[in-house]
Amino acid sequence: MTSAEAISLVAEVFEEQRPPERAGAPDGPLGWAGYDAARARAAEATGAAESVRYGLAVVGGHRCVLLVFEFGFLGGSLGERAGDRLAAAYRLAGRERVPLVSLVATGGSRMQEGMVALGQLQRVAREAAALRAAAVPHLAVLRDPATGGGWATVGAGADVVLALPGAQVGFAGSRVRPPDADPSAYTAEGQFAAGQVDAVVPPEHLRETLARWLGALRRTATEGPPEPAPVPQRPPQSPPVESPVRGWDAVRAARAPERPRADAYLDHYFA
């Protein structure tokens, strides 16, 4: 699935945005021979300037920021320019106070940029923390594949994690797993069984599922975080606890005095 196909699958409206282009050294920070040429071929083949696209969108009738990976651009990998787009998408959602919806399809960090690429994971984690502190929801949809640092940050860091059936999901990609690894553990269904994915959603139901989630989370995004609940106080009729001899004495002292029948039964049980 291309980024354009993923956008059309879920969105009625998509207004793409781009951050200012970053000037870089020839062939990237490592001077990786042929890196610029590979980027140019990827751009020509996909029509995308980078492995990540983002913009304001309408999904199921709800305004949001849509963040979409283009796997055809060097495997949806994360480099410095992709990190710029990721950070910009998170910040746009925070400024507009609308949910962020991420359609993830990535093989992880971009090896041609070395530690600079790995540093983008810290950027994403920081932006995710800021978005959560602002009570702006983040929904992630795991496409095939969702692996490496992109899964660990954009995917696993979301408030609600959905996945397409059969998608490959996990930190380790297929080429770097142990030879005896259980393949089913790296699927959307396996991650759902392990509690890392909230639901596995067929593509034809994805838009309506996102719409339900966006509707449920809209109040949080527009009104901000609720006030903390008051700390519960001891009911005034509760008797004070005075150095109980047995554990059951402490339980009885914490009970409301209008429970004599239950106390009598448990006194008999613990005798």
Side-chain angles (χ1 to χ4, degrees), residues 108-135:
S109 299
R110 191 171 299 172
M111 62 181 181
Q112 293 93 333
E113 296 188 18
M115 285 301 299
V116 173
L118 291 175
Q120 306 313 305
L121 307 184
Q122 185 273 337
R123 291 180 72 186
V124 174
R126 180 181 61 200
E127 298 298 338
L131 203 65
R132 181 168 287 115

Side-chain angles (χ1 to χ4, degrees), residues 83-180:
D84 291 341
R85 287 161 170 76
L86 289 167
Y90 279 79
R91 292 175 185 176
L92 179 60
R95 287 196 308 272
E96 296 289 328
R97 297 206 62 79
V98 296
L100 174 65
V101 177
S102 299
L103 308 181
V104 182
T106 174
S109 299
R110 191 171 299 172
M111 62 181 181
Q112 293 93 333
E113 296 188 18
M115 285 301 299
V116 173
L118 291 175
Q120 306 313 305
L121 307 184
Q122 185 273 337
R123 291 180 72 186
V124 174
R126 180 181 61 200
E127 298 298 338
L131 203 65
R132 181 168 287 115
V136 175
H138 179 196
L139 293 83
V141 177
L142 308 179
R143 296 153 54 206
D144 186 30
T147 58
W151 148 243
T153 52
V154 183
D159 301 301
V160 178
V161 183
L162 309 177
L164 297 182
Q168 180 186 175
V169 179
F171 186 74
S174 57
R175 297 183 180 182
V176 294
R177 292 176 197 153
D180 58 346

